[in-house]
Amino acid sequence: MHHGAHIQNSDKYVDYCHQLLCKLRRVNPQLDIDGEKNIWISKPRALSRGRGIRCRNDLKDICSLGWKWVVQKYIERPLLVYGTKIDLRQHFLITDWYPLTIWFYKHSFLRFSSQPFTLESLDTAIHVCNSAIQRKLKNAPNRHPNLPEENMWHSDEFKEYLCTIGKEQVWDSIIIPGMKKALIHTMKAARENVKYKKNSYDLFGSDFLFGENFQPWLLEIQYKPDITKDTSVMKKIVPPMVEDILRVVIDYKDDPNCNVGGFELIYKQANYTGNGILSKEKTFRDLKITTISDP
């Protein structure tokens, strides 16, 4: 091409490639978030707070990890904010597993990397937004000035940012419905393996990444998530959320019409028999869903 060469009948090849991409997109929902580096992210299965997480692109290295690791395909084309990687922590509450009852909290927070995004380096400081890792690092001097010094935004600030880029509609039309769908499907698939005590409840923290088209992708779910009030954003979110948990767990039992604060009931299992067992027909019907795979 640099020497003036050209491809004969190139239009035909363009059409063929376009048709092939359409076929791939139907069977691979993650096509638009993949890249050329074949990067995978590995996590020790028994650690938390980002400890031991690494990005890898060497197959021998990945296959030598053994069974004590979780390995996920890395999102090589994530949504960036001011050239920096983000993820979102979304809290949700389960007040019963039989019938499965899921409450979604309306406020969430974004976590930023302290370094500009690049795939030329697999440094954890660039690719892992976990606060336990980023708070130990110094923000890069060449970061965009609009990025928060404490590397965290309230979801309201993220929505304001979406307005500035002309994408204010994606929060309600793509992001929120996508996160709810992922959490409902995941909890339905996991409930048979949960050891549950009646009249108890569980608070979870789910971590999402976004593709360039704002589609949310569920990374992982944290049991008993860290709600330390160590940033201005956490000081704003945590106290009312704890109060709202009490509303849902205590007040709602006696008054289904009571104020539940920022929580929204997004799923309650229908046709529950009360004996903890669904009919085989019902169980199979529940599980016939389009799964959202981990990146």
Side-chain angles (χ1 to χ4, degrees), residues 1 12-13 26 84 188 210 214 225 230 249 262 280 285:
M1 290 175 64
K12 180 179 69 173
Y13 292 110
R26 286 196 291 269
T84 303
K188 288 171 72 174
F210 305 100
F214 303 96
D230 54 355
V249 173
K280 187 173 294 186
R285 186 162 65 248

Side-chain angles (χ1 to χ4, degrees), residues 17 19-31:
C17 291
Q19 293 172 19
L20 185 60
L21 286 171
C22 289
K23 290 180 180 179
L24 284 171
R25 192 167 282 110
R26 286 196 291 269
V27 297
N28 179 13
Q30 295 182 330
L31 184 65

Side-chain angles (χ1 to χ4, degrees), residues 34-41 54-58 62 71-76 117-122 127 295:
D34 210 349
E36 303 172 348
K37 304 288 188 179
N38 195 29
I39 301 173
W40 297 73
I41 188 165
R54 278 186 57 192
C55 289
R56 307 168 189 261
N57 61 356
D58 183 273
I62 294 170
V71 179
Q72 296 171 293
K73 185 66 184 73
Y74 186 68
I75 292 180
E76 297 183 33
F117 183 78
T118 177
L119 292 178
E120 299 307 313
S121 169
L122 300 184
H127 301 286

